[in-house]
Amino acid sequence: MPVVSPEKLIGLQKSSDNIRNICILAHVDHGKTSLTDALIATNGIISPKLAGKVRYLDSRADEQLRGITMESSAISLYFSLLRRSQPDTTPEQKEYLINLIDSPGHIDFSSEVSTASRLCDGAVVLVDAVEGVCSQTVTVLRHTWTEHLQPLLVINKIDRLVTELKMSPGEAYTHLSKLLEQVNAIVGSFFQGERMEDDLKWRERVEEMVAATTAREKDRSNSSDPNGEEESVDPSRTEDGAGAYEEKDDENLYFAPERNNVIFSSAVDGWAFTVKQFAGLYEKKLGIKRSILEKVLWGDFYLDPKTKRILGSKHLKGRALKPMFVQLVLDNIWAVYEATTGGSKGKGDPIMVEKITKALSINLPPHVLRTRDPRTILTTLFASWLPLSTAMLVSVIEHLPSPPTAQKARLPALIKSSPGAASVDPSISSALINFQHSKDDPVIAYVSKMVAIPESELPQNKRKGALSAEEARELGIKKRADMARAQALADEAGSADHVSHITEALDGTSLTRNGTGDHDTRVETEDYDPEHLIGFARIYSGVLSVGDEVYVLPPKFSPSNPHAKPEPRKATINALYLLMGRGLEPLQSVPAGVVFGVEGLEGHIMKSGTISSQLSGAVNLAGVGIGSQPIVRVALEPTNPSDLDKLITGLRLLEQSDPCAEYEVLESGEHVILTAGELHLERCLKDLRERYARCEIQAGEPIVPYRESIVAAPEMAPPKEKDLPRGTVVALTSSKQITIRLRVRPLPAAVTEFLDKNASNIRRIYSEQKSQEATETDADVPGESRDLETPVLAGANMSLEELKEQLRLALSESKAEREVWLDAIEQTAAFGPRRIGPNILIDATKSGCCYKLFQRTSGQSPSKEPEAPTTDSSGETPKTPLMTARDISDKITHAFQLATAQGPLCNEPVQGIAVFLEEVTISAPPEEEHAARENLGRLTGEVIKTVRDSIRQGFLDWSPRLLLAMYSCEIQASTEVLGRVYGVITRRRGRILSESLKEGTPFFTILSLLPVAESFGFSDEIRKRTSGAASPQLIFQGYEMLDQDPFWVPFTEEEIEDLGELADKANVAKRYMDAVRVRKGLFVKGKKLVVDAEKQKTLKR
């Protein structure tokens, strides 16, 4: 294949109609990178023989070692084809630029998929023909739906139906039909959900108009008709005014081979086809028009062998004919496999190969025919007959939209769902939707993530041209010496760090710019090769050039308040790059519609952001949700304490360059990294050791989050205060001045779930209220400072009234003690912890001492500091007013936040409790009544401590429970290893949810729930037990209550006999709780410091 120069690719960036921005999405191991290799081979970057083996876009050593993609990578490809502008005209050659992004399929790296998909206009979704629709397949299909991407379905690995499952062509057709139905059923469920939501909104709108019309008619009749006769309201007229509900057409949403949006392929064998291709092949032979063949090649259509007419299933008249897809397509492909590799027979047939090549007019080279490797003949024959790259790229060009077309369809919805959409400048909206791409138009670009690139790999530091013979010889000597050194180090350190040592050795083999340099210079370069952060971006309008000054908008930016903190800052574009997989090519400017790399944003963007040429009215495109939230936390420390600064610098660099990783410092001083899963953690630690921190790092045991809650269990201990209801606590401050009575109750499960799902809406409402009271943002909310760079979740934002009504509805579903929750909404003072959690503080005092969240009246506001006493006309200072409960309301709210942030079991966040503040009494001595308000500062600590301890005491009056973080685990396994998979899941306290056999295959799909605390090493154990035949996918599912009281002890004789006096082995909740308390340095009740102590041996004789 001819090598395409970067200059040609750069020249194609100006013709926006001939650009396609696509991403390849699929479940793990469904063939994304192998498919990409075949496309890259068309540009001469790699050999076609190595396509599917070299995995070109997997540039990391651990990606090559594990055989999975961990980072999304982009590459620009050139493709040309002959096209007719009119049916009768001469074909003209048209050139296209395809910006392709290969994304990971593993659930731990789904954030890479989320950040990359907004850069694209279309998506190529791969599905394994044998494994079918898996968990990540549903996820990526949902992502294409929410991001309004035009999808193209590729059914890959069809060769497995021949070689592994030994299916006949007819069985394969049935299997592929059912697989297509499964994919379309998922797409249909998305459409149905959206349609129901639209229908509900339309009905609400009609009801509002009916109510308004009824009110107007009533007022008019009362004013005009003295008899008070009312006119009836015709709802149909109102509906006409509101506009009849428009049914959306879902015909074009589904995948259908006759629409040419389905490709059948085998990436490993290098072939692919569409129905349109075979229609062109059989057009002359059958004498049937191509347009007709495209419609009947897939489906229940049959070809009469005598009359050469196409028959439907009704006209078969009992004849056993094959469907046209089987007869004309699959039979031929199966014949190629049987002639070359033997197919189900196991031995090829050279005579059959010769017949096939003559029939297809294909000439195979003599050295290919003489080879003993049947796969070489197979791949060469398919490459000449059904080349994968041709089918893929032609379908991408014809079916997926260009940037101008895609932006007109996609961006109105994205702009509408962005934060502060009503304040976006119309000129910017017009530039984005209408694809304005001149230098005078506003520049808007979206940076999806930051990528760390070593300085030695930047284009300006790379050697130009080929190596001389002496330089190549010198490089070979260096590599051999470094490999020997790496082997020696590996032998000393053991096999565990073998890969990392080899990587360290190979890092030092790069030549300097002039191709020379002694050993000392190389060692110095190896020790310090600084990382540069390059933005992975897409420009939507205008032209961006090197040296331009632009505004960098953070993910929380809103055009309604553009100067809110953190205020956007200006940055200078230092360099622009064309992304070419493992390499970069320098650019001077990029026009609209191009995916590119940008340097100069370091320190301005944490993970993602928007580049804009103007601040006022700018749009925020960075409000995209991350696929998988980080759940696994690990404390890190350097082996050498003097390397602590290196570790901190490396952690900050890692946090910027990884879309999902987060870094925080705990109150104990521990440096903690948050990752999406075990594999993601391994990759982050490898990057820290080898690239970012460049020092030895010790990782502690994984820190798994828990939640604490309470339930009303039947076997609870009696209340601690017999005269008071359960959960009620009456507490007195240490100064005896303030008495507080409160009651803790379990919150209904529906309310807890509702608050958990709507945390982003509650945070936004707090932010809006605070911005109305002052010009500050919610950056100073306790415990929220580290969330400044979290993206604003665009989508279904609820107003305060809507949140109030939905919460009232959730409370009304509670069947028990319904009268308790009647006035709870009006009395709600705060949510917690961090003001957004699933716990409620309810002010049930008669005077209403706390600020009510849902009562935004002009006369009520949060309590403020008391004003200083003024001097009257006589010159005397009047007495300070008496202190009231309103003066300490903010202290009570703060204590509620602290109590719910750290529960009494093991200082983990609390969920599902309601704290009723029943009475606050201030009883200062008569001589100190007026001085009490002056001593408010001293009372602050007392009130906070008293309320916090009271909530914890009321919490423990119920039956406490731990909530475990849970993974949803999906495993595909054959019948031979099914028992071993069950054994591993059961040993790790997992629970099987379902087990289903994939029809037409010997594989079972097992769905189970697994505690995160028991998941470490789970994937390795599954692979070892099943000899690699099964591999799990772990998705964070949420928290599930462990129905066991951690303080329960056996008290009957049978229980004591079976479980022992403490029931340590049986009480799993206590074991989890004690493990967390030990890690946090808290007191563990009943723990023996000395077990089986013996007399100390004396050395004295």
Side-chain angles (χ1 to χ4, degrees), residues 668-907:
S668 59
E670 291 178 295
H671 299 274
V672 171
I673 182 174
L674 287 82
T675 59
E678 194 175 2
L679 183 58
H680 187 210
L681 173 64
E682 287 182 29
R683 193 195 77 178
C684 291
L685 292 177
K686 179 179 171 62
D687 285 346
L688 278 173
R689 291 189 180 107
E690 297 178 5
R691 295 178 58 187
Y692 303 140
R694 291 180 177 269
C695 64
E696 284 302 315
I697 295 171
Q698 291 180 347
E701 290 294 321
I703 304 171
V704 179
Y706 294 88
R707 295 291 182 267
E708 301 179 17
S709 189
I710 54 175
V711 295
E715 296 182 358
M716 287 188 294
K720 295 179 181 177
E721 296 291 337
K722 296 181 180 180
D723 300 333
L724 297 174
R726 185 180 293 277
T728 303
V729 180
V730 179
L732 191 64
T733 59
S734 55
S735 63
K736 308 288 197 272
Q737 292 189 11
I738 300 174
T739 305
I740 296 171
R741 174 177 169 141
L742 55 84
R743 187 179 183 188
V744 178
R745 283 176 174 270
L747 206 57
V751 181
T752 305
E753 185 180 355
F754 172 80
L755 294 177
D756 204 21
K757 288 182 179 178
N758 291 277
S760 58
N761 284 312
I762 298 171
R763 178 192 279 116
R764 184 180 49 79
I765 289 170
Y766 266 116
S767 179
E768 290 175 358
Q769 288 186 356
K770 194 158 190 176
S771 62
Q772 289 178 1
E773 296 163 9
T775 57
E776 301 172 359
T777 62
D778 62 341
D780 56 347
V781 176
E784 290 188 1
S785 58
R786 62 181 300 275
D787 288 339
L788 289 177
E789 291 298 329
T790 55
V792 178
L793 295 176
N797 290 334
M798 287 194 292
S799 65
L800 185 70
E801 288 301 319
E802 289 174 340
L803 182 70
K804 180 179 176 181
E805 288 305 316
Q806 299 247 2
L807 186 58
R808 190 192 305 277
L809 188 63
L811 281 170
S812 65
E813 293 177 4
S814 175
K815 297 179 181 178
E817 299 182 335
R818 199 172 276 185
E819 67 281 354
V820 174
W821 309 104
L822 286 177
D823 300 325
I825 297 294
E826 304 299 334
Q827 296 173 348
T828 299
F831 299 108
R834 293 167 56 201
R835 296 190 178 180
I836 57 171
N839 304 289
I840 305 180
L841 174 63
I842 298 171
D843 181 11
T845 57
K846 295 179 180 179
S847 59
C849 66
C850 293
Y851 168 68
K852 305 300 187 299
L853 181 65
F854 294 111
Q855 292 180 1
R856 301 175 67 180
T857 56
S858 57
Q860 188 180 23
S861 62
S863 57
K864 299 179 181 180
E865 292 296 324
E867 299 179 358
T870 55
T871 306
D872 59 11
S873 57
S874 62
E876 295 181 359
T877 302
K879 292 183 179 180
T880 307
L882 297 176
M883 186 175 68
T884 62
R886 179 63 63 89
D887 295 323
I888 60 171
S889 63
D890 56 336
K891 284 76 177 174
I892 294 173
T893 305
H894 185 70
F896 168 74
Q897 303 293 342
L898 293 178
T900 51
Q902 293 186 335
L905 298 183
C906 49
N907 281 7

Side-chain angles (χ1 to χ4, degrees), residues 178-349:
K178 291 179 179 178
L179 177 58
L180 197 59
E181 287 175 7
Q182 290 176 9
V183 177
N184 283 331
I186 293 167
V187 177
S189 67
F190 300 153
F191 172 78
Q192 190 64 23
E194 190 175 276
R195 188 226 176 265
M196 291 174 65
E197 187 178 347
D198 291 344
D199 181 59
L200 181 63
K201 290 179 180 178
W202 177 80
R203 290 180 184 278
E204 290 176 351
R205 196 162 58 247
V206 167
E207 288 174 3
E208 289 175 2
M209 293 193 68
V210 167
T213 306
T214 305
R216 283 198 304 270
E217 294 290 343
K218 189 174 182 180
D219 293 342
R220 190 181 306 162
S221 61
N222 288 339
S223 58
S224 60
D225 187 7
N227 298 326
E229 295 180 1
E230 295 183 4
E231 298 181 12
S232 60
V233 179
D234 186 6
S236 61
R237 287 186 299 164
T238 311
E239 290 185 18
D240 292 338
Y245 181 74
E246 296 181 5
E247 287 285 354
K248 292 182 181 178
D249 184 17
D250 63 339
E251 185 180 355
N252 296 323
L253 296 177
Y254 300 110
F255 298 106
E258 60 267 23
R259 295 198 192 103
N260 295 306
N261 59 1
V262 179
I263 300 173
F264 304 91
S265 79
S266 169
V268 71
D269 290 338
W271 61 265
F273 68 88
T274 59
V275 166
K276 187 176 183 180
Q277 275 181 277
F278 273 93
L281 292 173
Y282 285 108
E283 181 181 11
K284 292 181 181 179
K285 187 174 181 180
L286 298 177
I288 302 173
K289 288 184 180 180
R290 184 172 182 171
S291 57
I292 297 175
L293 276 176
E294 287 179 15
K295 295 178 181 177
V296 299
L297 263 180
W298 178 269
D300 293 332
F301 297 98
Y302 304 84
L303 183 66
D304 191 330
K306 294 181 180 179
T307 61
K308 300 295 182 184
R309 293 181 59 188
I310 299 169
L311 306 175
S313 56
K314 296 179 181 178
H315 302 90
L316 287 179
K317 298 179 180 179
R319 288 183 291 178
L321 298 180
K322 296 179 181 178
M324 291 182 67
F325 189 77
V326 176
Q327 184 179 355
L328 302 180
V329 180
L330 294 184
D331 276 350
N332 295 324
I333 291 175
W334 259 243
V336 173
Y337 274 98
E338 288 182 2
T340 53
T341 62
S344 58
K345 298 178 182 177
K347 188 177 180 181
D349 187 354

Side-chain angles (χ1 to χ4, degrees), residues 462-590:
K462 279 195 171 181
R463 179 187 173 82
K464 300 291 183 183
L467 294 173
S468 65
E470 292 182 0
E471 290 171 342
R473 195 177 301 111
E474 181 189 354
L475 180 59
I477 294 170
K478 285 180 179 179
K479 282 191 174 182
R480 283 192 293 273
D482 290 327
M483 287 295 289
R485 181 163 57 89
Q487 186 63 43
L489 287 172
D491 292 341
E492 292 176 8
S495 59
D497 296 328
H498 179 62
V499 177
S500 62
H501 285 306
I502 290 179
T503 309
E504 290 173 8
L506 291 178
D507 282 344
T509 60
S510 57
L511 290 176
T512 56
R513 189 171 182 179
N514 55 11
T516 60
D518 55 13
H519 180 73
D520 295 337
T521 307
R522 183 180 60 77
V523 171
E524 185 179 349
T525 307
E526 180 185 81
D527 290 342
Y528 184 68
D529 189 6
E531 301 278 345
H532 290 251
L533 289 175
I534 307 297
F536 196 29
R538 154 85 183 268
I539 182 168
Y540 287 93
S541 67
V543 177
L544 188 64
S545 304
V546 176
D548 288 355
E549 287 193 350
V550 291
Y551 287 99
V552 181
L553 312 179
K556 277 198 170 184
F557 172 82
S558 175
S560 59
N561 191 7
H563 298 286
K565 297 177 184 177
E567 189 168 354
R569 294 181 293 172
K570 271 196 169 185
T572 304
I573 305 299
N574 296 335
L576 298 170
Y577 299 108
L578 176 69
L579 302 170
M580 291 298 294
R582 301 183 181 186
L584 302 171
E585 295 294 337
L587 298 171
Q588 289 303 313
S589 64
V590 287

Side-chain angles (χ1 to χ4, degrees), residues 317-447:
K317 298 179 180 179
R319 288 183 291 178
L321 298 180
K322 296 179 181 178
M324 291 182 67
F325 189 77
V326 176
Q327 184 179 355
L328 302 180
V329 180
L330 294 184
D331 276 350
N332 295 324
I333 291 175
W334 259 243
V336 173
Y337 274 98
E338 288 182 2
T340 53
T341 62
S344 58
K345 298 178 182 177
K347 188 177 180 181
D349 187 354
I351 300 173
M352 190 71 176
V353 171
E354 188 178 350
K355 288 182 180 178
I356 290 173
T357 53
K358 283 183 179 179
L360 297 174
S361 302
I362 295 172
N363 292 321
L364 296 180
H367 71 275
V368 174
L369 292 172
R370 288 194 302 266
T371 184
R372 293 184 178 181
D373 183 11
R375 287 196 55 80
T376 304
I377 303 175
L378 176 74
T379 53
T380 308
L381 199 157
F382 271 127
S384 303
W385 180 34
L386 300 172
L388 185 146
S389 56
T390 303
M392 274 292 305
L393 296 178
V394 169
S395 297
V396 164
I397 289 167
E398 292 182 349
H399 185 71
L400 300 185
S402 62
T405 308
Q407 287 187 201
K408 199 163 191 177
R410 287 182 66 211
L411 284 183
L414 291 180
I415 294 172
K416 186 179 179 181
S417 62
S418 65
S423 304
V424 175
D425 192 334
S427 63
I428 289 182
S429 298
S430 174
L432 289 171
I433 296 170
N434 299 322
F435 195 76
Q436 298 174 6
H437 54 278
S438 68
K439 291 186 177 180
D440 300 328
D441 293 319
V443 175
I444 299 292
Y446 168 61
V447 181

Side-chain angles (χ1 to χ4, degrees), residues 598-614:
V598 55
E599 185 179 3
L601 306 180
E602 189 170 351
H604 298 274
I605 288 182
M606 174 60 77
K607 291 183 182 294
S608 63
T610 308
I611 296 175
S612 176
S613 55
Q614 68 182 60

